[in-house]
mmCIF file of all heavy atoms in Angstrom:
data_model
loop_
_atom_site.group_PDB
_atom_site.id
_atom_site.type_symbol
_atom_site.label_atom_id
_atom_site.label_comp_id
_atom_site.label_asym_id
_atom_site.label_seq_id
_atom_site.Cartn_x
_atom_site.Cartn_y
_atom_site.Cartn_z
ATOM 1 N N THR A 174 63.035 -66.976 4.048
ATOM 2 C CA THR A 174 62.806 -68.082 4.984
ATOM 3 C C THR A 174 64.133 -68.720 5.409
ATOM 4 O O THR A 174 64.235 -69.337 6.461
ATOM 5 C CB THR A 174 61.895 -69.150 4.355
ATOM 6 O OG1 THR A 174 62.367 -69.398 3.038
ATOM 7 C CG2 THR A 174 60.439 -68.667 4.313
ATOM 8 N N GLU A 175 65.151 -68.574 4.553
ATOM 9 C CA GLU A 175 66.474 -69.102 4.929
ATOM 10 C C GLU A 175 67.461 -67.943 4.996
ATOM 11 O O GLU A 175 67.245 -66.907 4.374
ATOM 12 C CB GLU A 175 66.970 -70.074 3.850
ATOM 13 C CG GLU A 175 66.270 -71.405 3.925
ATOM 14 C CD GLU A 175 66.575 -72.245 2.699
ATOM 15 O OE1 GLU A 175 67.625 -72.019 2.057
ATOM 16 O OE2 GLU A 175 65.750 -73.112 2.385
ATOM 17 N N LYS A 176 68.567 -68.181 5.717
ATOM 18 C CA LYS A 176 69.583 -67.127 5.822
ATOM 19 C C LYS A 176 70.193 -66.867 4.446
ATOM 20 O O LYS A 176 70.631 -67.792 3.766
ATOM 21 C CB LYS A 176 70.653 -67.575 6.824
ATOM 22 C CG LYS A 176 71.936 -66.778 6.810
ATOM 23 C CD LYS A 176 72.057 -65.890 8.057
ATOM 24 C CE LYS A 176 73.365 -65.131 8.121
ATOM 25 N NZ LYS A 176 73.562 -64.032 7.248
ATOM 26 N N ILE A 177 70.166 -65.593 4.035
ATOM 27 C CA ILE A 177 70.892 -65.242 2.799
ATOM 28 C C ILE A 177 72.100 -64.407 3.205
ATOM 29 O O ILE A 177 72.727 -64.697 4.211
ATOM 30 C CB ILE A 177 69.970 -64.566 1.752
ATOM 31 C CG1 ILE A 177 69.205 -63.384 2.363
ATOM 32 C CG2 ILE A 177 69.007 -65.576 1.159
ATOM 33 C CD1 ILE A 177 68.530 -62.484 1.323
ATOM 34 N N PHE A 178 72.423 -63.393 2.443
ATOM 35 C CA PHE A 178 73.574 -62.541 2.785
ATOM 36 C C PHE A 178 73.239 -61.632 3.976
ATOM 37 O O PHE A 178 72.064 -61.455 4.325
ATOM 38 C CB PHE A 178 73.965 -61.700 1.568
ATOM 39 C CG PHE A 178 72.821 -60.960 0.944
ATOM 40 C CD1 PHE A 178 72.435 -59.715 1.417
ATOM 41 C CD2 PHE A 178 72.109 -61.509 -0.126
ATOM 42 C CE1 PHE A 178 71.381 -59.035 0.861
ATOM 43 C CE2 PHE A 178 71.033 -60.819 -0.688
ATOM 44 C CZ PHE A 178 70.673 -59.590 -0.192
ATOM 45 N N ASP A 179 74.265 -61.033 4.569
ATOM 46 C CA ASP A 179 74.056 -60.029 5.607
ATOM 47 C C ASP A 179 73.882 -58.663 4.939
ATOM 48 O O ASP A 179 74.371 -58.449 3.824
ATOM 49 C CB ASP A 179 75.268 -59.960 6.543
ATOM 50 C CG ASP A 179 75.360 -61.208 7.399
ATOM 51 O OD1 ASP A 179 74.356 -61.548 8.054
ATOM 52 O OD2 ASP A 179 76.431 -61.854 7.392
ATOM 53 N N MET A 180 73.210 -57.770 5.669
ATOM 54 C CA MET A 180 73.057 -56.411 5.123
ATOM 55 C C MET A 180 73.369 -55.374 6.205
ATOM 56 O O MET A 180 73.012 -55.565 7.362
ATOM 57 C CB MET A 180 71.630 -56.198 4.612
ATOM 58 C CG MET A 180 71.426 -54.807 4.009
ATOM 59 S SD MET A 180 69.870 -54.608 3.110
ATOM 60 C CE MET A 180 68.750 -54.236 4.444
ATOM 61 N N THR A 181 74.068 -54.332 5.803
ATOM 62 C CA THR A 181 74.248 -53.143 6.653
ATOM 63 C C THR A 181 73.743 -51.955 5.850
ATOM 64 O O THR A 181 73.988 -51.877 4.632
ATOM 65 C CB THR A 181 75.747 -52.934 6.985
ATOM 66 O OG1 THR A 181 76.184 -54.010 7.815
ATOM 67 C CG2 THR A 181 75.994 -51.613 7.707
ATOM 68 N N VAL A 182 73.047 -51.046 6.530
ATOM 69 C CA VAL A 182 72.574 -49.841 5.844
ATOM 70 C C VAL A 182 73.298 -48.623 6.418
ATOM 71 O O VAL A 182 73.384 -48.457 7.638
ATOM 72 C CB VAL A 182 71.041 -49.688 5.981
ATOM 73 C CG1 VAL A 182 70.576 -48.365 5.374
ATOM 74 C CG2 VAL A 182 70.324 -50.857 5.309
ATOM 75 N N ILE A 183 73.828 -47.818 5.510
ATOM 76 C CA ILE A 183 74.533 -46.591 5.894
ATOM 77 C C ILE A 183 73.603 -45.411 5.566
ATOM 78 O O ILE A 183 73.140 -45.290 4.432
ATOM 79 C CB ILE A 183 75.873 -46.479 5.103
ATOM 80 C CG1 ILE A 183 76.818 -47.642 5.451
ATOM 81 C CG2 ILE A 183 76.547 -45.124 5.302
ATOM 82 C CD1 ILE A 183 77.392 -47.635 6.846
ATOM 83 N N ASN A 184 73.331 -44.584 6.579
ATOM 84 C CA ASN A 184 72.409 -43.454 6.397
ATOM 85 C C ASN A 184 73.175 -42.131 6.573
ATOM 86 O O ASN A 184 73.248 -41.579 7.684
ATOM 87 C CB ASN A 184 71.285 -43.510 7.442
ATOM 88 C CG ASN A 184 70.470 -44.793 7.352
ATOM 89 O OD1 ASN A 184 70.929 -45.867 7.723
ATOM 90 N ND2 ASN A 184 69.257 -44.700 6.866
ATOM 91 N N PRO A 185 73.765 -41.621 5.484
ATOM 92 C CA PRO A 185 74.510 -40.353 5.615
ATOM 93 C C PRO A 185 73.575 -39.154 5.655
ATOM 94 O O PRO A 185 72.489 -39.187 5.082
ATOM 95 C CB PRO A 185 75.341 -40.293 4.320
ATOM 96 C CG PRO A 185 75.074 -41.549 3.566
ATOM 97 C CD PRO A 185 73.840 -42.167 4.123
ATOM 98 N N SER A 186 74.042 -38.082 6.317
ATOM 99 C CA SER A 186 73.355 -36.794 6.163
ATOM 100 C C SER A 186 73.977 -36.107 4.943
ATOM 101 O O SER A 186 74.540 -36.802 4.090
ATOM 102 C CB SER A 186 73.494 -35.953 7.431
ATOM 103 O OG SER A 186 74.846 -35.832 7.788
ATOM 104 N N PHE A 187 73.901 -34.773 4.845
ATOM 105 C CA PHE A 187 74.405 -34.133 3.627
ATOM 106 C C PHE A 187 75.903 -34.410 3.495
ATOM 107 O O PHE A 187 76.671 -34.148 4.426
ATOM 108 C CB PHE A 187 74.115 -32.633 3.657
ATOM 109 C CG PHE A 187 74.206 -32.005 2.303
ATOM 110 C CD1 PHE A 187 73.495 -32.521 1.233
ATOM 111 C CD2 PHE A 187 75.004 -30.905 2.085
ATOM 112 C CE1 PHE A 187 73.568 -31.960 -0.032
ATOM 113 C CE2 PHE A 187 75.089 -30.324 0.820
ATOM 114 C CZ PHE A 187 74.363 -30.858 -0.229
ATOM 115 N N VAL A 188 76.291 -34.965 2.352
ATOM 116 C CA VAL A 188 77.675 -35.406 2.175
ATOM 117 C C VAL A 188 78.480 -34.294 1.510
ATOM 118 O O VAL A 188 78.086 -33.763 0.466
ATOM 119 C CB VAL A 188 77.731 -36.706 1.338
ATOM 120 C CG1 VAL A 188 79.167 -37.157 1.159
ATOM 121 C CG2 VAL A 188 76.916 -37.806 2.021
ATOM 122 N N LEU A 189 79.586 -33.943 2.150
ATOM 123 C CA LEU A 189 80.471 -32.893 1.652
ATOM 124 C C LEU A 189 81.900 -33.432 1.622
ATOM 125 O O LEU A 189 82.171 -34.503 2.161
ATOM 126 C CB LEU A 189 80.372 -31.663 2.568
ATOM 127 C CG LEU A 189 78.997 -30.982 2.621
ATOM 128 C CD1 LEU A 189 78.928 -29.984 3.771
ATOM 129 C CD2 LEU A 189 78.680 -30.282 1.304
ATOM 130 N N GLY A 190 82.793 -32.673 1.024
ATOM 131 C CA GLY A 190 84.180 -33.147 0.906
ATOM 132 C C GLY A 190 84.567 -33.193 -0.561
ATOM 133 O O GLY A 190 83.725 -32.969 -1.444
ATOM 134 N N PRO A 191 85.838 -33.482 -0.865
ATOM 135 C CA PRO A 191 86.332 -33.336 -2.237
ATOM 136 C C PRO A 191 85.651 -34.255 -3.249
ATOM 137 O O PRO A 191 85.243 -35.358 -2.913
ATOM 138 C CB PRO A 191 87.817 -33.693 -2.118
ATOM 139 C CG PRO A 191 87.943 -34.449 -0.847
ATOM 140 C CD PRO A 191 86.867 -33.955 0.055
ATOM 141 N N SER A 192 85.582 -33.755 -4.478
ATOM 142 C CA SER A 192 85.042 -34.567 -5.574
ATOM 143 C C SER A 192 86.214 -35.177 -6.327
ATOM 144 O O SER A 192 87.174 -34.482 -6.642
ATOM 145 C CB SER A 192 84.258 -33.649 -6.514
ATOM 146 O OG SER A 192 83.893 -34.341 -7.678
#
Side-chain angles (χ1 to χ4, degrees):
T174 46
E175 284 169 24
K176 166 108 177 73
I177 52 167
F178 51 86
D179 290 307
M180 181 169 84
T181 293
V182 175
I183 297 291
N184 300 73
S186 53
F187 198 53
V188 180
L189 297 168
S192 171

